Amino acid sequence: MSINDVNSPQSTLQSPSGNLLAKDNDAPSKERRSPSPPYSIPMKSNDKNPPTPNDSPRSSDTSVSTSVQRRQRLSTLLIIGVVSFLTGVDYAIILPTAWGYLKTFTDLRADGIIMGVLLSGFALSGAIAGLIFGHLSDVGVSLKKLVLIGVGFKIIGNILYFIGISFYVVIIARVIAGIGMGLVPPILAEISRRSTSETRTQLLAKILACRQIGLFIGPCFTIAFKSMNFEFAGIRITLHNAPGLFMAILWITIWILTVFFFFDVAKPASAQKKLSDGWNKKALCYAWNTATVTCRKPVAIVLLITCFIAYFNQAALETTITPFSNIQFGWKELEVSIVFAVAGIEITLVYIALHFITKKINDQTILLFAYTLLSIACLIGVLVLPFAKVGSKKYLPIFLLFVGFDILALPLIAVTSTSLFTQQMSYDQQGVGQGIQRVFVNGAAVLGPLFAGALLTETWIMISALFILGLLATLLIILIYPSFLPPNDDDESSALLPTENKR
C-alpha cells in the first residue's frame, strides 16, 4: 500500500507534531495550500517534550519530527494491513478442516446443518460487533483500542477452538472469534474518511486485498498441518485443531505489536466527542436515525440488497464446496485446500487489476459487470448439475469453471459496492454506515450457510435459487444505474488528500 494514499496535507511548519497519515515530503508550497480538513490532526508522540506549534521552527527539529512521523505512519499502516491479512488467514485456515473437525465429535453423515451453524455463528457475532465498533469509532474511541479489543476476542476464540472439548465448544469458539471481526467497520471507515471519492476504491481495494492474500496463504498452512498428530500440554494436536493454536499465536503476536507500534491520530479537545456523550440513548438514536435516513435512498437500498445477495452466494458456495466435492469427487482436505489456494491467487490478481481498472472505468460499471458474471456462473451450475453423477469426474472442469467465475465476480462486488456505499454516508457517520453494511454482509453469511447446509443433498435447487438471486441483483443494478452520481471532489474528505492524489 502506498503510504501517501492515506494522508493529510498539513504542513510540518504549521504543525510540527504532524499527522499520523500526513504527507511530509517536500511538496511545492502551492500544493500545500489545499483546503484544511474539518480539524487539525496532531500526532501523538512518544517524546517527552514534543515540539508545539508555538515553537520556533528549527531545521533539526523538523527533520527529527518528519522522521518520527514517517516511521509511525508506516508501522501503523503495516499493522492495519497485517490485521486484514490475518482475518483472511483465520477464515481460510479453519474452513477446509471445520467439516472434519465437527465429524470427530458427532456423526454428521449428509447433514450439513451443524457446519452451517458454525459459519453462521461466526458471521452473526461479527455483524453485531461491527455495529457497536462502528459507532464507537464515530464517537471518538481510538482505533488502536478497538483493534486491541477485536484482536483480544480473536485470541480467546482460537484458544477455545484449539481445546475443542465438544462441538458445542467449537461453535462457541467461532462465535467469540467472530466478535473480533467487529474491528473491520472502523478500519474501513477510517480509510473512507481519509480519501476522496475518486481514490477511495483504490484504497479499499488495497486493504481488502490484504485479506484476500490471507485467504490464499491460509490453505497452505492446512497442507502443512496434514501430518500433525502429537500431544501438547495434554491435548492431542491434529490437522483439525492445529489451526486454532496457530492462529492464537499469530493473534497474540499482532496484539503485542499493536501495543507498541500502532499510533492513533489525536484530535484537538475542541473536536473530540466525549464517549459518555456519544454512547447515551439520545446520541445512539441520533446516529441510528441519521444512518437509516441515508439508507432509505434508492441507491443505498439497492446497494445493500445486492451486497446481501453477493455475500449470500459466497457463503453458500463456501459451505457447500467441501462436502459437495467430497461426495461428488471424493476430495479430502488436501484437494479442497488447493482449490482455496488457487482461488486466493485469482482474487489477489483481481484486486491488483482493480487498482488500474478503477482509473479508467467507474465503479457502477464494474459492479454491473460483476453481477452479470455472477449470474453466468450460477447458470453454468444450473445447466450442468442435473447431468452430474456421484463419483464421476466428467464435469470436474465445468465445476472448476463455475467456481472460477463466481470467485472472479466477488472481489469486484466487494470493493465497488463498499466504495459506492460510503459515498452515500456523511463524513461523521462512516463508522455506523460501515456497520450497517456489515450487518447485511454478515446477515448473508449467517443465512447462506444455513440455506446451503439444509440443501446439501439438493444441490441443484440451491444453485437454481442462487441463479435467480444473482439475476435479480443484476436487474436492480441496471434499474438504478442512472441514479449513481459522479464522484464529488468537494466533499469534506477531499481535503485530507494532497493535490497529486486527487488527479
Side-chain angles (χ1 to χ4, degrees), residues 73-221:
R73 181 175 64 247
L74 177 60
S75 65
T76 300
L77 291 175
L78 286 175
I79 288 176
I80 289 176
V82 172
V83 167
S84 182
F85 167 78
L86 288 183
T87 59
V89 175
D90 190 291
Y91 190 80
I93 203 173
I94 297 293
L95 188 61
T97 59
W99 175 259
Y101 196 16
L102 291 172
K103 287 175 70 174
T104 62
F105 300 109
T106 181
D107 183 13
L108 297 181
R109 298 180 184 177
D111 185 8
I113 192 67
I114 302 298
M115 180 70 170
V117 170
L118 179 76
L119 298 179
S120 297
F122 179 85
L124 180 61
S125 61
I128 297 172
L131 274 176
I132 297 173
F133 280 45
H135 179 70
L136 289 174
S137 171
D138 286 340
V139 301
V141 176
S142 73
L143 185 59
K144 179 175 181 176
K145 290 181 180 178
L146 296 177
V147 171
L148 289 174
I149 294 171
V151 172
F153 279 107
K154 285 287 189 183
I155 294 171
I156 296 172
N158 278 285
I159 290 176
L160 287 176
Y161 189 87
F162 163 65
I163 295 174
I165 301 174
S166 68
F167 77 90
Y168 293 108
V169 174
V170 172
I171 293 174
I172 292 172
R174 292 310 288 167
V175 170
I176 294 174
I179 297 175
M181 294 303 293
L183 56 84
V184 173
I187 288 178
L188 295 180
E190 191 70 12
I191 295 298
S192 299
R193 291 188 184 106
R194 303 187 179 285
S195 59
T196 64
S197 53
E198 289 183 341
T199 60
R200 189 169 300 152
T201 304
Q202 297 172 23
L203 295 177
L204 290 172
K206 292 174 184 178
I207 294 297
L208 295 174
C210 291
R211 182 177 187 273
Q212 297 304 327
I213 294 173
L215 291 174
F216 155 60
I217 296 293
C220 298
F221 290 116

Side-chain angles (χ1 to χ4, degrees), residues 29-58:
S29 59
K30 182 179 180 180
E31 291 188 353
R32 287 203 299 264
R33 289 195 294 269
S34 55
S36 298
Y39 47 80
S40 177
I41 309 177
M43 164 77 77
K44 286 183 178 178
S45 176
N46 295 329
D47 298 337
K48 294 182 179 179
N49 298 304
T52 63
N54 295 327
D55 293 338
S56 299
R58 292 176 295 177

Side-chain angles (χ1 to χ4, degrees), residues 260-382:
F260 293 102
F261 299 105
F262 193 106
F263 299 89
D264 273 315
V265 175
K267 302 176 185 178
S270 60
Q272 291 184 356
K273 298 178 182 178
K274 292 182 180 179
L275 180 58
S276 58
D277 294 338
W279 196 243
N280 59 38
K281 183 177 180 180
K282 182 178 179 181
L284 284 173
C285 292
Y286 172 76
W288 179 258
N289 289 337
T290 303
T292 51
V293 166
T294 302
C295 293
R296 292 192 190 113
K297 298 177 182 178
V299 173
I301 292 173
V302 169
L303 286 174
L304 290 174
I305 292 174
T306 54
C307 184
F308 176 89
I309 291 174
Y311 281 93
F312 183 88
N313 178 292
Q314 180 183 13
L317 177 65
E318 289 172 345
T319 304
T320 306
I321 190 171
T322 301
F324 174 79
S325 59
N326 176 262
I327 296 171
Q328 185 69 32
F329 308 118
W331 284 4
K332 303 297 182 183
E333 285 88 352
L334 178 61
E335 290 85 354
V336 175
S337 297
I338 292 174
V339 169
F340 278 107
V342 174
I345 296 175
E346 179 186 0
I347 292 174
T348 303
L349 292 175
V350 173
Y351 277 105
I352 294 174
L354 267 173
H355 177 76
F356 303 98
I357 294 173
T358 53
K359 295 179 180 179
K360 304 293 183 182
I361 305 174
N362 58 41
D363 291 347
Q364 53 266 36
T365 302
I366 298 174
L367 188 64
L368 178 58
F369 168 77
Y371 278 111
T372 303
L373 192 62
L374 186 65
S375 300
I376 293 173
C378 293
L379 180 61
I380 293 173
V382 170

